[in-house]
Amino acid sequence: MRIVRYHAFGDPDVLRTEEADLPAYGPQDVLVRATAIGVDHADVQRRRGTFPLGAPTLPHCPSTDVVGTVVATGDDVQGLAPGTRVVVWKARDAYADYVAAPASRVLPVPDGIDDAEATLLGSTGRVALNLLRTAAVAAGDTVLVHAGAGAVGHIAVQAARRLGAARVIATAGSASKRDFILSLGADHAVDYTAPDWPERVTEAAGGGVDVILDGIGGKQLVTDVRLLAPYGRLVVFGGSGGDTAQPDLPVLDLLGMRSVIGFSMPAVLEHRPRQAQQAVRDLVRMVTDGSVRPAIHARIPLTEAARAHELLEQRRTTGRVVLVT
């Protein structure tokens, strides 16, 4: 089978298509023939060796969401017969024709959702829903989503409304992205490159913000805290902005009943499994009934993975970039 790996950190051209054996699978695993593979900004950071949580061991093939068809199952697997169309969330060695994964990380894909869109039922969509659940979004809340045109952000913008948010604001750096965010139903789209973007958010919110979702990180986290209303919640879930410096957060800024929560999907799975399971059910229902519309920016052949990474580095994408086999 084909697999895309890199043996050194660097520009997109370090990605190489190679031949490999089919992945081994155990009694509790499934073997899936991939048709669509999500590409995440974290893949780009790992390839450059700049991922905030550490660089991967080389050679490396990214781990991400994969949609395809079950071709074989381990002896202990039930309910996932060969021929079942599934999404595997955070499959190891995912840029490949075949992936093996524990059956617990596999979800049948409902009819009516195409393969590329279904990749967003994996970790990306689950993160978006669990961010909102962690923030305890309630009816009447004002929600701010940074990078609202991204893979996680565009799902969160739509789901926030479905969960009862009265006002949804999102940030993006280009006019086309802001138009895209508004087309999803956001009330306001703010240019985060403008020096006065915090004032624009405050004006759009009519005061403080109840919930902020921030996957960009860096120095703006201090500004985020100061944008919160009393009892507001800031949920931090990444550092896609590339600024790995941890800002000094003045404790006095939290005294207005503001809170900061560091989000980790593995921690949710371990300590709040019911929340994680409910988020999956909610996500499938929202996508199936059309209240959340997964957006695919581009479908690119597996052998052109470098081009997919280039698109993400240009920061012009709306929704998700997907590799197809």
Side-chain angles (χ1 to χ4, degrees):
M1 71 168 189
R2 299 170 302 173
I3 187 170
V4 177
R5 290 187 280 228
Y6 50 92
H7 295 256
F9 301 118
D11 292 333
D13 60 7
V14 300
L15 293 164
R16 295 282 186 267
T17 303
E18 303 171 348
E19 289 296 320
D21 295 332
L22 291 180
Y25 61 95
Q28 298 180 344
D29 300 336
V30 298
L31 180 66
V32 175
R33 173 66 171 92
T35 54
I37 302 156
V39 182
D40 300 324
H41 190 77
D43 300 348
V44 173
Q45 291 180 307
R46 289 188 177 96
R47 190 207 73 234
R48 288 199 170 277
T50 60
F51 188 63
L53 298 181
T57 301
L58 297 175
H60 182 70
C61 175
S63 299
T64 185
D65 305 320
V66 174
V67 171
T69 303
V70 174
V71 295
T73 65
D75 293 340
D76 296 342
V77 175
Q78 298 180 356
L80 290 170
T84 304
R85 194 166 64 111
V86 297
V87 56
V88 184
W89 60 280
K90 282 298 180 186
R92 294 184 59 187
D93 296 333
Y95 287 19
D97 287 317
Y98 291 85
V99 298
S104 59
R105 300 179 74 89
V106 174
L107 175 74
V109 175
D111 293 337
I113 305 174
D114 80 13
D115 290 356
E117 294 173 347
T119 65
L120 287 151
L121 295 176
S123 61
T124 302
R126 294 178 192 220
V127 165
L129 264 291
N130 278 286
L131 286 168
L132 294 166
R133 291 298 188 192
T134 299
V137 171
D141 278 349
T142 294
V143 176
L144 169 63
V145 181
H146 284 299
V152 172
H154 89 285
I155 297 294
V157 164
Q158 298 173 79
R161 180 75 74 199
R162 176 66 181 272
L163 293 177
R167 186 183 286 111
V168 179
I169 306 165
T171 63
S174 71
S176 61
K177 287 186 176 184
R178 293 191 293 275
D179 287 344
F180 171 70
I181 289 168
L182 293 173
S183 77
L184 299 176
D187 298 286
H188 302 276
V190 174
D191 181 0
Y192 69 81
T193 68
D196 65 342
W197 73 265
E199 289 79 10
R200 296 185 185 188
V201 168
T202 299
E203 180 181 359
V209 179
D210 299 300
V211 170
I212 301 176
L213 307 183
D214 193 326
I216 298 174
K219 297 177 182 179
Q220 79 167 29
L221 292 177
V222 175
T223 302
D224 282 344
V225 170
R226 293 169 179 168
L227 287 171
L228 290 172
Y231 293 93
R233 292 86 71 197
L234 164 61
V235 185
V236 182
F237 66 100
S240 66
D243 185 355
T244 58
Q246 299 299 312
D248 292 328
L249 185 61
V251 174
L252 290 178
D253 285 343
L254 301 175
L255 295 185
M257 302 306 294
R258 299 159 168 159
S259 61
V260 179
I261 306 166
F263 178 87
S264 164
M265 194 67 222
V268 174
L269 291 167
E270 180 178 358
H271 300 290
R272 296 289 187 273
R274 291 184 180 178
Q275 174 184 312
Q277 293 166 3
Q278 184 60 50
V280 172
R281 291 191 288 268
D282 291 344
L283 178 62
V284 171
R285 183 171 62 253
M286 292 177 187
V287 173
T288 302
D289 69 18
S291 55
V292 168
R293 297 176 286 120
I296 304 301
H297 181 87
R299 304 164 195 249
I300 295 174
L302 174 64
T303 54
E304 298 179 26
R307 183 157 65 92
H309 278 223
E310 288 170 357
L311 278 175
L312 288 178
E313 290 188 323
Q314 292 167 3
R315 294 187 178 274
R316 297 178 181 174
T317 58
T318 52
R320 196 173 213 185
V321 175
V322 175
L323 300 174
V324 294
T325 61

